[in-house]
Amino acid sequence: MTTKRARAKRATVHDVALEAGVSRGTVSRYVNGERYVSAAAREAIEAAIAKVGYVPNTAARNLVMQRTQAVGFIVHEPHSLFVEDPNIGEILLGANARLSEADHQMAVLIVDTERDTERVARYLSGGLVDGVVIVSARADDPITRVVERLQLPAAYVGHPPGAASTASFVVIDNRGAASAITERLAATGRSRIGMIAAALDRDSGADRLSGFRAALGDRFDDTLVEPVPLYSYSAGRDGMRRLLERAPDLDGVFAASDAVAAGAIEALKEAGRRVPEDVGVVGFDDSAWARRTTPPLSTVRQPAAGLGAGAAELVLDRLRGEDTPTERRLDCEIVWRDSA
Amino acid sequence: MTTKRARAKRATVHDVALEAGVSRGTVSRYVNGERYVSAAAREAIEAAIAKVGYVPNTAARNLVMQRTQAVGFIVHEPHSLFVEDPNIGEILLGANARLSEADHQMAVLIVDTERDTERVARYLSGGLVDGVVIVSARADDPITRVVERLQLPAAYVGHPPGAASTASFVVIDNRGAASAITERLAATGRSRIGMIAAALDRDSGADRLSGFRAALGDRFDDTLVEPVPLYSYSAGRDGMRRLLERAPDLDGVFAASDAVAAGAIEALKEAGRRVPEDVGVVGFDDSAWARRTTPPLSTVRQPAAGLGAGAAELVLDRLRGEDTPTERRLDCEIVWRDSA
């Protein structure tokens, strides 16, 4: 069997000790980072390790050290978003960079089906990671239950589900940022402002709608809100078509994400509306989408890489024994370009 | 310390045995999937496991079973592509679905810096995965060396690097597909056809240029080839601007990917050229980009999810002890829309 053969070839502590002319105990102390290894022994062991090609067996060390130096990163997103949402990539890379600095390996676990949920929960229980970053947690989910039951060091990007009251998390102020960009759009002289409101079943989506409503106050008109299921280009295009049919006199649109805004701009052009002359459009994210639209998009810059890095830091804090649940809130800023 | 406390709370085989009223050996046999556990004992053990919340310790089982039921998936791509290339997401999800069916957990390991390369190599040696799928392998890379040295069950998406002669891999015929779409573009009556050739340091990039050249034969003009570093929107836009400056009379363009084509179309519009009336544009991938361009893109459909699933299958074959290196070639097809 392939695996067995591979393992039989692997150099052992014994080979290193033989080559270095020291005891196996000394090699073990060196490998486990303990003190009391003389400089001479250390040098001989390092040369021997390079020569015989020894690699410590992490699975065996886990049992002794109870550490894998690995941190899981769970992405629980709809199939299409995982493929087309640039934020997820930025969050991943931000977390990876921070964990890498701390010499931890990030292992991304994708939840795409119900079956994945159960299996990821088993994997987390299996001791193959020391902790976990969770994006888009669901409240009544086997993953959340396992994290709680094992008290696995964890941090969430976004608010943790209800049950996870002891969890650490990193958020942005979706409501405040949505309110700020809606006010800025209104200040360009628009009087019939609509919203394409995505993902209302999630905090981020509900909070962005709530900020929009707050900014408009008395001028808020709920017939100008078009709910769409996902933060996606096609949801934005389809939502804008429906909204235009219902409210052809609309002169401003807040799209709940940049991808949604890009789809909305496409639908406005189809319908012969000029952006920004006839309709001003603003988005949310400042992802790669914002530089691809014509005209370039006015939007809220969300610190996606910072969210990943922040959550990674909170997990590392917990691994160092800091048990206090921590909420970290990152700032957003408005980036004003030419679409409104 | 958080980790230790969590582990102290974890139910053990002993707790299950006590609750079920059977011996620890019987519980172990059940957990390890061995025969000779009576139906009555099995039922009692299952009830006890549910009651005490026992989860087998995978790290401990690894030492006995030499299996983690986890497969690594290494993505070694430039930062920007990981964020904006929809193919990578599709390949990931294709591999995840196939591994999930076989009850294996996929752990994605991102290589973003030199430091990541070394650490991923250590992780692979540590026994935390049974095998690995590798996208965008580099020839003289610590990861490739570790895979070879440990004979870790592996499969590559794309051709494996030179050294890995015993590796299994899944490919598409980049050269043939590029040649076919170039011929189709020429058949629309274009006489000055250029190419934005991306990533010439990689097989896929070099093969697509080679197919383009072969299709044009005597009509090939190397001043009409504009090399760009990455398969990206901005590389396509910048490359098209330079190509237009050099060859304003150009009437057809083969872009090495759909993202490159989307950038090229933007640059053509900027320059006042109509697509397809003045310049016909074709791409490669049939990713989400192809449906976002105006007009929709004529392109080569690459089976991205199939590449991921195929590589996952080849790793599973190796885990089942099939040692023969296997090359699997997937078909592409031309999808003709309105951009040429």
Side-chain angles (χ1 to χ4, degrees):
Chain A
M1 202 173 64
T2 312
T3 313
K4 287 225 171 110
R5 198 187 55 201
R7 282 174 205 266
K9 288 189 171 192
R10 191 177 280 171
T12 65
V13 169
H14 182 73
D15 302 325
V16 175
L18 212 65
E19 180 67 33
V22 302
S23 75
R24 281 165 53 173
T26 307
V27 176
S28 285
R29 284 203 302 283
Y30 169 84
V31 167
N32 293 324
E34 288 173 33
R35 295 156 70 195
Y36 311 118
V37 180
S38 73
R42 187 174 294 273
E43 210 166 283
I45 291 168
E46 283 169 2
I49 283 177
K51 183 155 180 209
V52 305
Y54 170 73
V55 186
N57 182 326
T58 313
R61 286 181 70 206
N62 290 348
L63 286 179
V64 182
M65 312 281 283
Q66 304 208 330
R67 284 294 170 92
T68 61
Q69 296 278 106
V71 170
F73 185 111
I74 299 175
V75 193
H76 195 160
E77 291 286 351
H79 192 102
S80 59
L81 274 201
F82 188 77
V83 174
E84 72 168 53
D85 186 347
N87 282 322
I88 295 174
E90 292 286 0
I91 293 171
L92 277 173
L93 291 170
N96 190 59
R98 186 64 197 87
L99 290 169
S100 180
E101 281 164 26
D103 212 28
H104 279 64
Q105 177 61 47
M106 184 171 92
V108 183
L109 313 170
I110 298 173
V111 178
D112 191 31
T113 64
E114 206 50 47
R115 182 169 188 162
D116 290 347
T117 311
E118 297 286 344
R119 202 193 48 252
V120 165
R122 284 208 309 277
Y123 179 87
L124 293 181
S125 344
L128 293 166
V129 290
D130 298 335
V132 66
V133 172
I134 302 179
V135 176
S136 314
R138 307 297 193 272
D140 197 29
D141 172 308
I143 295 172
T144 312
R145 287 199 298 273
V146 162
V147 167
E148 289 287 295
R149 183 160 53 75
L150 300 183
Q151 298 193 17
L152 195 66
Y156 294 81
V157 173
H159 284 97
S165 54
T166 60
S168 290
F169 59 97
V170 190
V171 287
I172 57 165
D173 178 6
N174 280 294
R175 189 174 187 279
S179 174
I181 196 151
T182 303
E183 278 170 16
R184 183 85 158 78
L185 175 61
T188 64
R190 315 283 171 175
S191 59
R192 289 276 287 164
I193 301 181
M195 176 171 179
I196 303 177
L200 292 175
D201 56 338
R202 289 162 61 173
D203 280 350
S204 61
D207 288 351
R208 289 174 199 179
L209 174 56
S210 154
F212 173 76
R213 180 192 300 259
L216 292 181
D218 290 347
R219 290 167 298 164
F220 175 78
D221 174 352
D222 66 8
T223 68
L224 295 185
V225 174
E226 179 66 32
V228 299
L230 296 178
Y231 291 118
S232 72
Y233 176 88
S234 57
R237 191 188 49 204
D238 299 348
M240 190 71 239
R241 285 178 186 154
R242 288 191 300 270
L243 191 53
L244 264 184
E245 218 163 274
R246 208 160 66 228
D249 60 335
L250 165 145
D251 62 5
V253 179
F254 169 38
S257 85
D258 290 352
V260 171
I265 289 177
E266 188 62 32
L268 285 165
K269 288 183 182 170
E270 261 175 30
R273 303 297 206 285
R274 292 167 306 161
V275 175
E277 294 83 348
D278 303 326
V279 182
V281 178
V282 297
F284 201 109
D285 283 344
D286 199 28
S287 70
W289 281 104
R291 270 91 65 193
R292 276 180 218 148
T293 57
T294 312
L297 197 64
S298 299
T299 189
V300 172
R301 178 171 298 156
Q302 170 169 207
L307 287 169
E313 255 163 49
L314 292 176
V315 171
L316 291 168
D317 285 350
R318 294 218 151 193
L319 288 173
R320 279 188 291 266
E322 293 169 27
D323 266 358
T324 330
T326 304
E327 172 182 347
R328 192 175 288 186
R329 188 177 289 261
L330 303 185
D331 287 334
C332 294
E333 56 173 323
I334 289 180
V335 183
W336 205 255
R337 299 196 181 91
D338 306 321
S339 64
Chain B
M1 201 174 65
T2 312
T3 313
K4 287 226 171 107
R5 198 188 55 201
R7 281 174 206 266
K9 288 189 171 192
R10 189 176 280 171
T12 65
V13 168
H14 182 74
D15 301 326
V16 176
L18 213 65
E19 179 68 33
V22 302
S23 76
R24 281 164 55 172
T26 306
V27 177
S28 286
R29 284 202 304 280
Y30 169 84
V31 167
N32 294 324
E34 288 172 33
R35 296 157 69 195
Y36 312 120
V37 181
S38 72
R42 188 175 294 273
E43 210 165 283
I45 291 168
E46 281 168 4
I49 284 177
K51 182 155 183 212
V52 305
Y54 171 73
V55 186
N57 183 327
T58 312
R61 286 182 68 206
N62 290 347
L63 286 178
V64 182
M65 312 282 284
Q66 305 209 330
R67 284 294 170 92
T68 61
Q69 296 280 104
V71 169
F73 185 112
I74 300 176
V75 193
H76 195 161
E77 290 286 352
H79 192 102
S80 59
L81 274 201
F82 187 76
V83 174
E84 73 167 53
D85 186 346
N87 282 321
I88 295 175
E90 292 286 1
I91 294 171
L92 277 173
L93 291 170
N96 190 60
R98 186 64 197 87
L99 290 169
S100 180
E101 281 165 25
D103 211 27
H104 278 65
Q105 177 62 46
M106 185 170 90
V108 183
L109 313 170
I110 298 173
V111 178
D112 190 30
T113 64
E114 205 50 47
R115 183 168 188 163
D116 289 347
T117 311
E118 297 286 344
R119 201 194 49 253
V120 166
R122 284 207 312 275
Y123 180 88
L124 293 181
S125 342
L128 293 165
V129 290
D130 298 336
V132 66
V133 172
I134 302 179
V135 176
S136 313
R138 307 298 194 271
D140 196 30
D141 173 307
I143 295 172
T144 311
R145 288 200 298 273
V146 162
V147 168
E148 289 287 294
R149 183 160 53 75
L150 299 183
Q151 297 192 18
L152 195 67
Y156 293 80
V157 174
H159 285 96
S165 54
T166 59
S168 291
F169 59 96
V170 190
V171 286
I172 56 163
D173 178 7
N174 281 294
R175 189 174 186 279
S179 175
I181 197 152
T182 304
E183 277 169 17
R184 184 84 159 77
L185 176 61
T188 63
R190 315 284 172 174
S191 58
R192 290 275 287 163
I193 300 181
M195 175 173 180
I196 304 177
L200 293 175
D201 56 338
R202 288 163 61 174
D203 280 349
S204 61
D207 289 351
R208 289 175 201 180
L209 174 56
S210 156
F212 173 74
R213 181 192 300 258
L216 291 181
D218 290 347
R219 291 167 299 163
F220 176 77
D221 174 351
D222 65 9
T223 67
L224 295 185
V225 174
E226 180 66 31
V228 299
L230 296 177
Y231 291 117
S232 72
Y233 176 87
S234 57
R237 190 187 50 202
D238 299 348
M240 190 69 240
R241 285 177 185 156
R242 288 191 299 269
L243 190 53
L244 264 185
E245 220 164 272
R246 209 161 63 228
D249 59 336
L250 168 143
D251 62 6
V253 179
F254 169 37
S257 85
D258 289 353
V260 171
I265 288 175
E266 188 61 32
L268 285 165
K269 288 182 182 169
E270 261 175 30
R273 302 296 206 287
R274 293 167 305 162
V275 175
E277 295 84 347
D278 303 325
V279 183
V281 179
V282 297
F284 201 109
D285 283 344
D286 200 29
S287 69
W289 282 104
R291 270 90 66 192
R292 275 179 218 148
T293 58
T294 313
L297 198 64
S298 299
T299 189
V300 171
R301 178 172 297 156
Q302 172 170 205
L307 286 169
E313 256 164 47
L314 292 176
V315 171
L316 291 167
D317 285 350
R318 294 216 152 196
L319 288 172
R320 279 188 290 266
E322 293 168 27
D323 267 357
T324 330
T326 304
E327 171 181 347
R328 192 173 290 184
R329 187 177 290 261
L330 303 186
D331 287 333
C332 293
E333 56 172 325
I334 289 180
V335 184
W336 205 254
R337 298 196 182 90
D338 306 320
S339 65

